[in-house]
Amino acid sequence: QVQLVESGGGTVPAGGSLTLSCVTSKKILTINQMGWYRQPPGKERELVAFIITSGYTKYSDAVKGRFAISRVNANNTVLLEMNNLIPDDTGVYYCNGKKWTEEYWGQGIQVTVAS
């Protein structure tokens, strides 16, 4: 299967910024959709944003206008730039890839936003 490796998590003050990276073991453009999900403490995993091969992006209402998803195709990397962070953004963030009938997940990375 495709392996996804996340990095860039950590603790940041409210109002700060953080950028997550996810490196794919296969060429990223062979994966139809790349995205980020998150799971806040005690809550279900939720979609944050995704980007498809064409470059089309979509965001959850909770992060729209604050987060930006992008790809660096040459490095097989998807990025999630997070700005104006709030404590509700705290959670475990997961890189996700979808390739037709297949789906891939990273291990998850902790993001903590201090109040």
Side-chain angles (χ1 to χ4, degrees):
Q1 288 190 337
V2 174
Q3 291 183 321
L4 308 176
V5 180
E6 305 111 327
S7 63
T11 301
V12 63
S17 298
L18 200 64
T19 298
L20 305 181
S21 298
C22 175
V23 179
T24 65
S25 62
K26 304 294 182 182
K27 288 189 175 182
I28 197 167
L29 290 179
T30 67
I31 305 172
N32 302 101
Q33 178 178 300
M34 295 295 305
W36 288 93
Y37 289 71
R38 69 185 183 187
Q39 186 167 14
K43 297 184 179 181
E44 295 181 348
R45 189 176 299 185
E46 63 187 33
L47 175 69
V48 175
F50 69 78
I51 181 169
I52 62 175
T53 303
S54 69
Y56 173 83
T57 59
K58 191 172 183 180
Y59 301 87
S60 70
D61 290 340
V63 308
K64 192 173 184 178
R66 299 190 296 118
F67 291 11
I69 189 169
S70 62
R71 297 192 311 264
V72 183
N73 295 334
N75 298 123
N76 299 314
T77 299
V78 61
L79 304 174
L80 183 69
E81 183 181 5
M82 304 183 292
N83 302 301
N84 301 315
L85 286 161
I86 60 175
D88 283 350
D89 293 322
T90 293
V92 179
Y93 284 67
Y94 298 88
C95 186
N96 170 263
K98 295 179 180 177
K99 185 179 180 180
W100 305 120
T101 61
E102 299 177 353
E103 188 170 19
Y104 315 101
W105 292 97
Q107 290 285 339
I109 189 166
Q110 179 69 40
V111 172
T112 301
V113 182
S115 60

Short mmCIF file of all heavy atoms in Angstrom, two decimals, residues 88-89 100:
data_model
loop_
_atom_site.label_atom_id
_atom_site.label_comp_id
_atom_site.label_asym_id
_atom_site.label_seq_id
_atom_site.Cartn_x
_atom_site.Cartn_y
_atom_site.Cartn_z
N ASP A 88 -9.92 25.10 19.42
CA ASP A 88 -10.75 24.05 18.83
C ASP A 88 -10.06 23.32 17.68
O ASP A 88 -10.54 22.27 17.24
CB ASP A 88 -12.07 24.62 18.34
CG ASP A 88 -13.06 24.88 19.46
OD1 ASP A 88 -12.81 24.44 20.60
OD2 ASP A 88 -14.10 25.52 19.20
N ASP A 89 -8.96 23.85 17.19
CA ASP A 89 -8.19 23.16 16.17
C ASP A 89 -7.35 22.03 16.74
O ASP A 89 -6.77 21.25 15.99
CB ASP A 89 -7.27 24.14 15.43
CG ASP A 89 -8.03 25.15 14.60
OD1 ASP A 89 -9.07 24.78 14.00
OD2 ASP A 89 -7.60 26.32 14.56
N TRP A 100 -9.12 5.52 -6.18
CA TRP A 100 -10.24 4.69 -6.61
C TRP A 100 -10.79 3.89 -5.43
O TRP A 100 -11.37 4.46 -4.52
CB TRP A 100 -9.82 3.82 -7.80
CG TRP A 100 -9.26 4.62 -8.93
CD1 TRP A 100 -8.02 4.53 -9.47
CD2 TRP A 100 -9.93 5.67 -9.65
NE1 TRP A 100 -7.86 5.45 -10.48
CE2 TRP A 100 -9.02 6.16 -10.62
CE3 TRP A 100 -11.19 6.23 -9.59
CZ2 TRP A 100 -9.34 7.19 -11.51
CZ3 TRP A 100 -11.51 7.28 -10.47
CH2 TRP A 100 -10.59 7.72 -11.41
#
